Structures are given as structure tokens and as C-alpha cells.
Amino acid sequence: MKKYILPALAVLAAVAAPMSASAHRGWLMPSHTVLSGDSFWVSFDAGASNGVFIADHAPLRLTPQSLQITAPDGSAGAAANLMQGAYRTTFDVEINKPGTWKIANASAGMNASWMLNGEQGRWRGPEAEMAANIPAGATDIVSAFSANRLETFVTLGNPTETVFTPTGVGIEMIPITHPNDLVAGEAGTFQFLRDGAPYANADVIVARGGLQYRDNPEEQTVTTDAEGKVSISWPEAGMYWVNTSWRDPSAPAGGGRNGPPANSAQYTAVLQVLP
């Protein structure tokens, strides 16, 4: 990842954090994860909330460009009945090819801010288009790269591995235990990569849904080893929110939310653990 601070311009302005570091947690939850037969419609709920999977804050704002549905053969699936409500977004996907599908909301690009005529301007988009989108005469230009990925998996018939080929951009999860073969009481093992390399010594937060029906948050934090691998235990069946993030440690103090933006990446998976 690259960080750009255009030369000869003072760094005075700040932009909003390029990734969510707030208490609100994004999620993309399927109605089913393990299916049989020839075809099945799966419904998805997507939002950002105080408690995972509780629609109490904001819908996940999905676009055709950010929503990526990948079939086991590598072809693109399609979302149907996409609707954004007050607190959640919903859509359906027809799972009609055998194997494991990946449904993801992913984005990667530059964030930039500047001052022009006493007002702050902001832009986010592909790195190659940044220069053309910063107006002439802008000063105090600050920019940084961010990559965010939120995904879940659905298998029709036997599990397959094709959708787990890493792209090398941002944080990605490579399952050693298949994410549609998780059982309560049995640990699952996963490897995390950042820009294609093992993401070592990273904290991974694991939270089980259904918090509104119990007092114990049942949240755990585990740390990846030198190979980026981590073992996660599942004390109960249910839907789990798995999250890890990274922010450039070389960024100046206050970088991101209260200072110059820092390069960053975030990864979230929603996994179902069966009894």
C-alpha cells in the first residue's frame, strides 16, 4: 500500500477515517450457509450496529460496484430484490451451482482531502483517478489508501476452495478449516494475509450473535502466529462475527480520525457454526 502526501503542500487538514474504527460493527449475514439440492434462494441482511447482527444503527450501503458475488466456477452471481431499509439492507441470491460461493462487500482505493477557497473537499476512488479529481488550486492535500472487505460463504452440496484464492490487496482470510464446516466444540483454523503476506501478530475479534438474549457477550480476541494463522474455538452454535484490522503504525499521532489519514485495512467474516 502507498501513502501520498503531495509535495510542497503543508499537511493541515484532516479527513474522516478511511475505515470504520468506531464501535459500530458491519456485518453481512446469510439466512443459510449449507444447502443441498440443485438450487436454493438465500437471503442476506447487511448493516452496521452496536451489537453484531442487531439492526439498530445503519444499513450497509451496498452498490453494484462494491457487492461481489462469486460462484464456485469463478463466474459472477447476481443480487435480486436489493432493498435498503432504515437499519439494514436486504437482498437475495440464487445459489444454483454446486460448491462454495463467496458473497462480499469489498472496496479499496484512495481517500483524499484538500482545502480550496476556505472550504474542505474530499474524494474517494481508484488510485489512478485521484490526480484528476483534485481541483486545480487545492492546497493542504492529504491522501491515504484503505482496503475493506466484509464477506460470508454459502455452500451447495460439497464444499470447494476456488473462491478463496487471495487477491493480494488488503486483509484476506484463507481457511484451513472450511468456513462451511464449522461445528460447536471443534476449533477452526484460518490464515490471515495482508497484501498477500502472512499477517502476523494480529488481533482477531470473535463475537457470537444473539447478544440480546444473554448477559455474557461471549467475545474473545485471539492473535495470529508468525504465519498469520489462528485457531478459533466455538463454544456454542450460532452466527459469529470475525474481525481484524490494520492501521499504518508509521502514521503520525492522531492519524485517521483526528489527523492526517493513515493507510489502513479491515477484514470481517460472518460464519455459521452448527451444533
Side-chain angles (χ1 to χ4, degrees), residues 103-168:
I103 298 85
N105 185 52
S107 63
M110 301 297 295
N111 299 275
S113 72
W114 59 86
M115 296 298 293
L116 181 64
N117 299 325
E119 297 184 357
Q120 186 175 60
R122 291 176 178 170
W123 174 86
R124 174 178 171 82
E127 179 179 348
E129 300 177 8
M130 185 178 72
N133 282 277
I134 296 178
T139 61
D140 307 327
I141 301 172
V142 182
S143 64
F145 185 91
S146 68
N148 303 308
R149 178 175 295 275
L150 194 167
E151 58 190 24
T152 190
F153 310 94
V154 176
T155 292
L156 178 66
N158 293 323
T160 55
E161 306 287 342
T162 52
V163 298
F164 302 115
T165 301
T167 66

Side-chain angles (χ1 to χ4, degrees), residues 34-40 155-157:
V34 180
L35 306 168
S36 61
D38 297 326
S39 179
F40 200 98
T155 292
L156 178 66

